[in-house]
């Protein structure tokens, strides 16, 4: 299988394809596929953990040593303990230990299964902790699912936190994937029972906010539990956000953010997705209990939470790189959400609108119809940060045959109806291809044929669902070309089998295969459109 961007983890050493710097080819002679790879590579490169942590965390040794983060200073005197959980935490921990030196006493981090082997294979030994490190690394949560190793790591983290005193400082490193890597079910709930509930919710299209509400209610450490365990120690939490809008109470289910128990809210979520009759008895016991708030602080004044990286930062870097390649570029939103098929329809209609505008057909009934459909769908999706009226106005005024790049980020959801293998990014790419194929049979078909179009969707962590791919590429020709290979796109989509499709189609050439990247700020989508050569 061809590996698209397999060397991506080396981006901090060689962060761009040389041709994209103009060293080998003019941008016009490069394919949209090459441009898409370059933009994704650049977006991920700017949110790698090491540079972000070094910007955020400074040890000042003049006078009394202190750690400085933004406007806060924390005195240190060999009294620092470290815990972490998430897909980007390994390198964050390595850099933190380098900064802290002898002030660090002990640490435990929970990281994804296989990440060290993956990084070693990619030649990224600098992401590893040094020999004789004071930080213990535990790998778990294979395929993003909590397991016994992640449970062991969470138990060790809890034990470390509970042993701290008022003289200690707990440095907490959090990134995407932290929820799966910090499972601590409230007794009598078993790990398997908690996972049954979250899997059922996810399969029925529950949002990340809803999933985290349930996770917090069923956990000892989420929803502020870790901060409670560490009290009265000071807690400094550095967060790499993988959630739309960067709400610290949602990222990794908010282990250092106070959350009041809301049994009624949890029950409403269960009823919404018709799960009340399938709940394990232990979950019913915890959710229906009317215990008072856990003991510990209520104001959490001993905690300082700081977001040090996000999807918006990645999108801004991709925009800069796209403009360097000559594209007129627009960031649509860093908060794209909603069911994949609906988001795919939005992207397909945007592509049609751009093709109409760049073909000099920015006025007329066809354009008005596409515009009306777009505005209606956007209103239904309610995507945070998406100002479609202004975006369409800007696109409508583009000069003829101008190359266009539309960027977006966020996290969509998939309504499971089959038992295939895939992820939201691969399914989104395949759905966009199908929508564009259908559009070719409409009045917009003529202008679509006049444009080259590439759609790319990829997870910045390098793992899309329980697959080895980060995402996939697609175009308006994909459905027809797949049919020539005997592959029925609609059949694969009906079985949620996007990974199998892309693995078979063109020998996997349209898969985005990066390996684990060491970071995670949700997903990146790029739409590249340019006029075909006459």
């Amino acid at each position: 299988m061809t590996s698209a961007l397999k060397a991506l983890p080396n981006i901090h050493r060689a962060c761009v394809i040389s041709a994209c710097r103009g060293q080998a080819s003019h941008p016009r002679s490069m394919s949209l596929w090459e441009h898409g790879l370059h933009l994704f590579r650049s977006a991920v490169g700017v949110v790698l953990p090491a540079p972000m942590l070094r910007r955020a965390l400074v040890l000042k040794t003049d006078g009394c040593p202190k750690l400085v983060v933004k406007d806060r200073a924390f005195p240190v005197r060999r009294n620092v303990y470290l815990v972490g959980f998430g897909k980007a935490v390994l390198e964050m921990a390595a850099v933190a230990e380098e900064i802290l030196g002898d002030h660090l006493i002990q640490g435990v981090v929970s990281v994804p299964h296989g990440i060290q082997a993956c990084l070693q294979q990619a030649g990224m030994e600098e992401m590893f902790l040094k020999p004789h490190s004071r930080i213990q690394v535990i790998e778990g949560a294979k395929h993003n699912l909590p397991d016994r190793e992640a449970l062991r790591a969470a138990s060790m983290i809890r034990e470390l936190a509970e042993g701290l005193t008022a003289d200690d400082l707990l440095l907490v490193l959090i990134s995407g994937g932290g929820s799966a890597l910090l499972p601590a079910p409230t007794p009598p709930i078993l790990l398997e029972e908690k996972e049954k509930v979250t899997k059922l919710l996810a399969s029925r299209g529950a949002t990340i906010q809803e999933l985290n509400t349930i996770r917090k209610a069923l956990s000892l450490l989420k929803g502020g539990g870790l901060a409670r365990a560490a009290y009265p120690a000071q807690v400094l939490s550095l967060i790499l956000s993988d959630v739309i809008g960067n709400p610290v109470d949602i990222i990794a289910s908010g282990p250092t953010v106070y959350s009041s128990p809301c049994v009624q809210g949890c029950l409403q979520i269960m009823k919404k997705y018709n799960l009340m009759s399938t709940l394990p008895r232990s979950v019913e016991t915890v959710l229906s209990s009317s215990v008072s708030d856990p003991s510990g602080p209520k104001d959490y004044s001993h905690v300082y939470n700081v977001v040090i990286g996000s999807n918006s930062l990645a999108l801004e870097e991709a925009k800069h790189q796209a403009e360097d390649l000559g594209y007129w570029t627009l960031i649509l939103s860093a908060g794209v959400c909603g069911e994949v098929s609906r988001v795919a329809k939005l992207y397909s209609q945007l592509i049609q609108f751009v093709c109409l505008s760049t073909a000099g057909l920015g006025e007329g009934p066809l354009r008005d119809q596409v515009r009306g459909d777009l505005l209606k769908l956007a209103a239904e999706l309610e995507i945070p940060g998406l100002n479609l009226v202004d975006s369409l106005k800007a696109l409508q005024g583009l000069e003829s045959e101008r190359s266009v790049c539309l960027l977006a980020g966020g996290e969509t959801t998939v309504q499971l109806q089959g038992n295939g293998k895939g992820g939201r990014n691969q399914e989104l790419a395949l759905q966009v291809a199908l929508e564009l194929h259908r559009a070719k049979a409409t009045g917009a078909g003529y202008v679509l044929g006049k444009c080259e179009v590439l759609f790319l969707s990829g997870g910045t962590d390098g793992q899309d669902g329980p697959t080895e791919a980060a995402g996939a590429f697609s175009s308006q020709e994909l459905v027809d070309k797949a049919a020539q290979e005997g592959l029925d796109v609609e059949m694969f989509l009906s079985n949620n089998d996007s990974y199998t499709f892309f693995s078979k189609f063109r020998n996997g050439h349209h898969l985005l295969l990066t390996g684990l990247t060491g970071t995670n700020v949700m997903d990146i989508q790029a739409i590249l459109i340019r006029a075909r050569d006459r």
Side-chain angles (χ1 to χ4, degrees):
M1 184 183 297
T2 303
S3 172
L5 199 58
K6 198 66 175 180
L8 176 104
N10 295 311
I11 43 190
H12 56 306
R13 293 195 296 272
C15 65
V16 293
I17 301 169
S18 60
C20 289
R21 288 293 193 192
Q23 297 174 9
S25 304
H26 187 275
R28 183 71 205 183
S29 67
M30 296 172 63
S31 68
L32 295 188
W33 186 81
E34 289 174 302
H35 285 177
L37 287 178
H38 172 56
L39 298 184
F40 187 78
R41 166 178 281 194
S42 301
V44 173
V46 79
V47 289
L48 286 175
M52 283 191 299
L53 199 70
R54 288 195 175 96
R55 288 194 296 265
L57 189 67
V58 178
L59 177 64
K60 292 193 174 181
T61 56
D62 51 319
C64 295
K66 53 184 176 291
L67 272 181
V68 178
V69 179
K70 289 194 173 180
D71 58 343
R72 293 280 293 272
F74 298 84
V76 291
R77 48 189 182 280
R78 298 190 178 184
N79 63 333
V80 183
Y81 295 80
L82 183 151
V83 298
F85 29 92
K87 297 175 181 179
V89 157
L90 185 62
E91 189 176 16
M92 292 172 76
V95 173
E97 185 169 27
E98 176 188 320
I99 292 171
L100 291 167
D102 290 340
H103 294 292
L104 178 65
I105 303 301
Q106 181 187 355
V108 180
V109 294
S110 179
V111 299
H113 172 83
I115 191 170
Q116 293 178 99
C118 178
L119 295 176
Q120 186 172 26
Q121 186 178 5
M124 300 175 66
E125 286 82 1
E126 70 273 18
M127 279 193 173
F128 287 17
L129 295 163
K130 298 294 187 289
H132 312 297
S133 170
R134 296 173 183 176
I135 302 171
Q136 183 172 352
V137 178
I138 301 175
E139 293 190 359
K142 190 174 183 179
H143 297 316
N144 283 332
L145 299 173
D147 55 20
R148 289 292 159 187
E149 285 303 294
L151 187 66
R152 182 167 72 92
S155 178
M156 293 176 64
I157 286 171
R158 183 184 175 204
E159 184 179 347
L160 185 153
E162 289 177 339
L164 301 180
T165 71
D167 295 325
D168 297 321
L169 171 64
L170 180 65
L171 178 60
V172 183
L173 306 176
I174 302 175
S175 75
S179 282
L181 288 159
L182 194 71
T186 301
I189 301 173
L190 300 177
L191 179 62
E192 295 78 10
E193 292 173 327
K194 183 179 176 184
E195 279 316 289
K196 176 185 176 182
V197 173
T198 53
K199 279 182 181 179
L200 283 170
L201 282 167
S203 70
R204 299 188 185 186
T207 67
I208 186 66
Q209 289 81 4
E210 290 171 329
L211 285 169
N212 280 338
T213 295
I214 298 300
R215 286 169 177 152
K216 287 190 287 187
L218 306 182
S219 173
L220 293 172
L221 293 178
K222 297 179 174 71
L226 178 58
R228 285 195 300 272
Y231 183 80
Q234 289 289 299
V235 177
L236 170 59
S237 181
L238 303 181
I239 303 165
L240 182 59
S241 173
D242 72 329
V243 179
I244 291 169
N246 309 326
V248 292
D249 61 323
I250 295 295
I251 301 166
S253 303
T256 57
V257 182
Y258 176 70
S259 176
S260 59
C262 184
V263 173
Q264 194 58 40
C266 293
L267 294 176
Q268 287 175 354
I269 292 171
M270 297 299 186
K271 290 175 182 176
K272 175 181 176 181
Y273 295 102
N274 299 316
L275 293 180
M276 292 300 294
S277 62
T278 60
L279 288 181
R281 185 177 298 275
S282 60
V283 173
E284 286 186 19
T285 299
V286 171
L287 287 182
S288 62
S289 64
S290 56
V291 296
S292 59
D293 287 6
S295 60
K298 297 298 185 295
D299 63 357
Y300 276 48
S301 59
H302 68 301
V303 181
Y304 186 46
N305 294 303
V306 182
V307 174
I308 63 173
S310 66
N311 188 269
S312 295
L313 183 63
L315 289 176
E316 287 294 340
E317 178 62 20
K319 180 176 185 288
H320 172 71
Q321 296 295 333
E323 289 172 342
D324 280 354
L325 289 170
Y327 287 91
W328 182 92
T329 307
L330 176 68
I331 296 175
L332 297 168
S333 169
V336 172
C337 56
E339 208 279 321
V340 157
S341 62
R342 306 278 288 162
V343 175
K345 190 177 292 288
L346 179 78
Y347 283 143
S348 170
Q349 291 174 351
L350 272 168
I351 290 167
Q352 294 171 56
F353 190 90
V354 171
C355 290
L356 284 166
S357 297
T358 57
L361 301 174
E363 300 288 347
L366 180 57
R367 193 252 14 207
D368 290 342
Q369 178 186 336
V370 174
R371 183 179 186 276
D373 291 343
L374 267 170
L375 292 174
K376 179 182 178 183
L377 184 54
E380 294 171 357
L381 286 169
E382 296 182 325
I383 293 173
L386 177 61
N387 187 338
L388 199 56
V389 173
D390 288 349
S391 296
L392 295 182
K393 190 176 298 183
L395 289 167
Q396 188 179 337
L398 287 177
E399 60 196 65
S400 179
E401 298 192 359
R402 181 72 191 271
S403 296
V404 173
C405 171
L406 303 179
L407 297 167
E411 195 167 276
T412 57
T413 56
V414 175
Q415 187 77 41
L416 294 180
Q417 53 191 0
N419 57 4
K421 188 174 184 180
R424 60 179 179 263
N425 289 285
Q426 294 162 79
E427 181 140 338
L428 178 58
L430 198 54
Q431 285 278 9
V432 167
L434 181 60
E435 290 294 338
L436 290 174
H437 173 73
R438 290 169 173 167
K440 289 195 294 185
T442 69
Y446 170 71
V447 291
L448 277 174
K450 294 169 68 70
C451 294
E452 285 185 87
V453 177
L454 177 89
F455 179 81
L456 162 66
S457 186
T460 55
D461 60 353
Q463 185 176 41
D464 185 33
T467 78
E468 65 173 348
F473 304 84
S474 65
S475 67
Q476 74 263 50
E477 296 92 6
L478 183 145
V479 174
D480 288 332
K481 291 179 179 178
Q484 293 171 10
E485 296 184 22
L487 300 173
D488 185 335
V489 167
E490 291 190 67
M491 182 188 74
F492 282 96
L493 282 172
S494 67
N495 194 37
N496 299 115
D497 206 14
S498 55
Y499 176 75
T500 303
F501 170 85
F502 280 114
S503 297
K504 292 181 176 181
F505 180 58
R506 298 291 174 93
N507 295 318
H509 183 71
H510 284 64
L511 280 173
L512 178 60
L513 294 167
T514 66
L516 297 174
T517 63
T519 192
N520 183 22
V521 291
M522 299 186 290
D523 304 331
I524 296 289
Q525 281 109 43
I527 297 170
L528 300 179
I529 303 170
R530 69 183 179 190
R532 293 187 186 276
D533 292 328
R534 296 184 183 278

